[in-house]
Amino acid sequence: MFLISCPFCGEREQSEFKAGGEAHIVRPKQPTELSDDEWAEYLFMRKNIKGIQYERWNHIHGCRKWFNIIRDTSNDQIKAVYKMGEKPPVK
Amino acid sequence: MKKKYSIFSLVKNAFSYHENWEKAWKDPVPKKEYDTVIIGGGGHGLATAYYLAKKHNLKNIAVLEKGWIGGGNTGRNTTIIRSNYLWDASAGLYDHALKIWEGLSQELNYNVMFSQRGVMNLAHNLQDVRDLKRRTHANRLNGIDAVYLNTEEVKKFCPIINTSPDIRYPVLGGTLQKRAGTARHDAVAWGYARGADELGVDIIQNCEVKGIKRNGDRVEGIETTKGFIKTNKIGVVAAGHSSVIANMAGLRLPLESKPLQALVSEPVKPIIDTVVMSNAVHAYVSQSDKGELVIGAGTDDYVSYSQKGSHDIVEGTLNAILELYPIFSRMRMLRQWGGIVDICPDASPIISKTSIKGLYFNCGWGTGGFKATPGSGDLFAHTIANDEPHKLNAAFNLNRFVSGDLVDEHGAAAVAH
């Protein structure tokens, strides 16, 4: 259980949000030209980091907007929150 | 040779106040080199080492455990054992394990308290009814015992369930696997540890892996908190930390690690003599031999290694428990905890070789690995010893995420992901 600062609504309980997994996975521009290995890499393989992870969240029981957070997955502490399309802040 | 556990040894040791029992496993200092190293001293890892030594005659094996034996997910799960999975590949895998469970206490000379008290899976809506009937038919075609029960039969088998039609999610029926049940989770780890130790396996506790040394496309050894260990075969059975080990070897896995919670109540007299699971409302409950209700909750939807889950997950599960079992409304909960589970996109495990020679992974068991412990160890040992999978785990290779030949068991996994 932890609190998340939605960049649009402010600090709310984590239960108001939906986790969207690892951030900054870029959808391939030409999916038809990918090999099966590359497609599997894009679709299934994850860093699943223990430590500082960049991830997407959606304030699903609030403004319903997507944004990014940087979180330490070993203790659930949030290091930074930034909007979609923004460059991650340098720690 | 270890002394056999029996009623006589129990009586004999009673006279010395149980202070002279021989140690179940040694506490060795790691050697410089092993033929095979298993990373992870949980049930699956210890079973792997045990079967490597026992069935494949391998010597010079070590199991590295970063904590203590039985302190990870082996000691954190809700101990449910069943094999009523949908697809042929899963049915083969989980029923293989169930068959080993049936003789495990005798084989290990260690009472794992395997109790075939039956597992019931409830249906709460029309789609549940259709899915569970389909699964019952699929199970029977695969030789797995399964019956479909209507609401009255559910009530008869477990009288404390509220089968009133006016609850929020009424019970419309359910499946029953009578050979399914529970076992004592710690005993499984301890029994395999004792068995593996007797066969000459070095069980090294408090030894955390810090790095995997590679030479091109093959492994050469492991950096640990107790020094470097040379080996050319590594079996990784690290559950929630599988990706952490994979990252050390420069490998990526299709896993996400999430907290899964469970809780137990204060002990009470026998009230529920089976295991009841409900996928739709997400509640499952059984009663331990000590009398505690053992309740499983769902996973959180975010990646975390913190072994803590969210309160709302527990609250949701307890809401469902209370609606299904109003009799528990004044029960007090004793303990609550979380374990980190490694979840695959298709809710099926990976027991596989990798692109790196000598590196094998047994992971992705997600929310339901305990039931497979003996079978998983047996098949992973086969895979490591022969450098190719057994036919029962061939479908559970890492390459299925490339080929697309997934084994989708989200329905049978019975825990919301």
Side-chain angles (χ1 to χ4, degrees), chain A residues 1-2 14-15 17-22 36-37 39-42 44-51 53 55 57 71 73-76, chain B residues 66 240-241 243-244 247 252-257 300-306 308-312 345 398-403 406:
Chain A
M1 190 68 151
F2 47 90
Q14 172 268 324
S15 57
F17 298 83
K18 170 86 186 150
E22 191 180 319
D36 287 352
D37 280 313
W39 189 241
E41 187 70 21
Y42 163 70
F44 295 121
M45 301 302 163
R46 295 291 176 263
K47 289 180 188 153
N48 196 23
I49 289 170
K50 182 180 188 178
Q53 169 158 295
E55 46 194 31
W57 285 76
R71 186 172 58 96
T73 60
S74 62
N75 57 17
D76 293 337
Chain B
K66 76 171 169 184
H241 282 70
S243 299
V244 175
N247 289 341
R252 298 228 300 164
L253 295 174
L255 298 176
E256 287 195 307
S257 297
D300 278 298
D301 67 347
Y302 52 86
V303 170
S304 178
Y305 289 84
S306 67
K308 287 183 286 192
S310 307
H311 283 300
D312 53 298
L398 201 45
N399 197 50
R400 74 178 189 266
F401 298 96
V402 176
S403 69
L406 303 179

Side-chain angles (χ1 to χ4, degrees), chain B residues 23-299:
Chain B
K23 277 203 170 142
W25 58 86
K26 296 180 287 289
D27 193 14
V29 177
K31 288 189 251 176
K32 294 261 178 286
E33 184 173 356
Y34 287 96
D35 294 343
T36 310
V37 176
I38 304 299
I39 300 176
H44 290 239
L46 293 164
T48 305
Y50 174 80
Y51 291 115
L52 275 173
K54 170 135 195 188
K55 291 176 79 171
H56 303 282
N57 254 333
L58 292 188
K59 303 277 180 268
N60 205 19
I61 304 168
V63 176
L64 308 184
E65 166 57 46
K66 76 171 169 184
W68 66 96
I69 297 302
N73 287 0
T74 303
R76 289 168 187 268
N77 63 77
T78 48
T79 78
I80 298 166
I81 294 163
R82 61 190 172 90
S83 64
N84 56 350
Y85 281 70
L86 177 65
W87 300 105
D88 295 352
S90 320
L93 178 69
Y94 291 102
D95 212 50
H96 177 62
L98 184 49
K99 285 183 187 129
I100 303 177
W101 278 114
E102 287 172 333
L104 192 62
S105 291
Q106 285 73 23
E107 177 174 347
L108 294 177
N109 176 229
Y110 204 106
N111 186 4
V112 299
M113 295 161 75
F114 180 50
S115 157
Q116 291 178 297
R117 58 183 69 181
V119 169
M120 204 155 60
N121 290 80
L122 300 181
H124 297 275
N125 54 52
L126 195 56
Q127 190 60 44
D128 277 0
V129 171
R130 288 177 183 140
D131 287 347
L132 289 181
K133 281 186 174 168
R134 177 190 178 201
R135 189 135 65 83
T136 308
H137 294 314
N139 288 161
R140 291 167 74 160
L141 286 171
N142 278 314
I144 292 169
D145 67 309
V147 283
Y148 187 83
L149 309 178
N150 62 27
T151 309
E152 290 72 42
E153 290 164 330
V154 167
K155 182 81 179 167
K156 199 166 165 231
F157 191 73
C158 184
I160 59 169
I161 294 183
N162 180 7
T163 51
S164 159
D166 58 6
I167 63 175
R168 177 68 181 83
Y169 298 103
V171 176
L172 301 184
T175 63
L176 173 63
Q177 184 181 17
K178 283 203 165 168
R179 285 164 62 232
T182 59
R184 174 75 203 274
H185 49 10
D186 299 315
V188 177
W190 297 335
Y192 272 121
R194 178 169 172 265
D197 183 85
E198 185 170 5
L199 294 168
V201 173
D202 278 358
I203 296 168
I204 300 156
Q205 300 179 77
N206 299 311
C207 180
E208 189 176 348
V209 171
K210 290 293 183 190
I212 306 275
K213 193 177 173 210
R214 275 175 64 176
N215 180 6
D217 66 345
R218 58 165 51 251
V219 293
E220 274 197 329
I222 304 173
E223 291 290 352
T224 77
T225 48
K226 293 193 174 181
F228 181 75
I229 296 172
K230 197 174 165 212
T231 182
N232 51 25
K233 274 198 174 186
I234 302 172
V236 184
V237 204
H241 282 70
S242 298
S243 299
V244 175
I245 307 283
N247 289 341
M248 291 174 188
L251 196 72
R252 298 228 300 164
L253 295 174
L255 298 176
E256 287 195 307
S257 297
K258 297 175 176 183
L260 176 66
Q261 295 178 85
L263 53 166
V264 295
S265 72
E266 60 191 345
V268 290
K269 287 183 178 175
I271 182 70
I272 178 165
D273 62 357
T274 184
V275 183
V276 186
M277 315 183 71
S278 167
N279 218 345
V281 299
H282 207 283
Y284 50 101
V285 63
S286 62
Q287 192 171 14
S288 75
D289 291 351
K290 281 186 282 183
E292 303 154 329
L293 296 179
V294 182
I295 295 170
T299 56

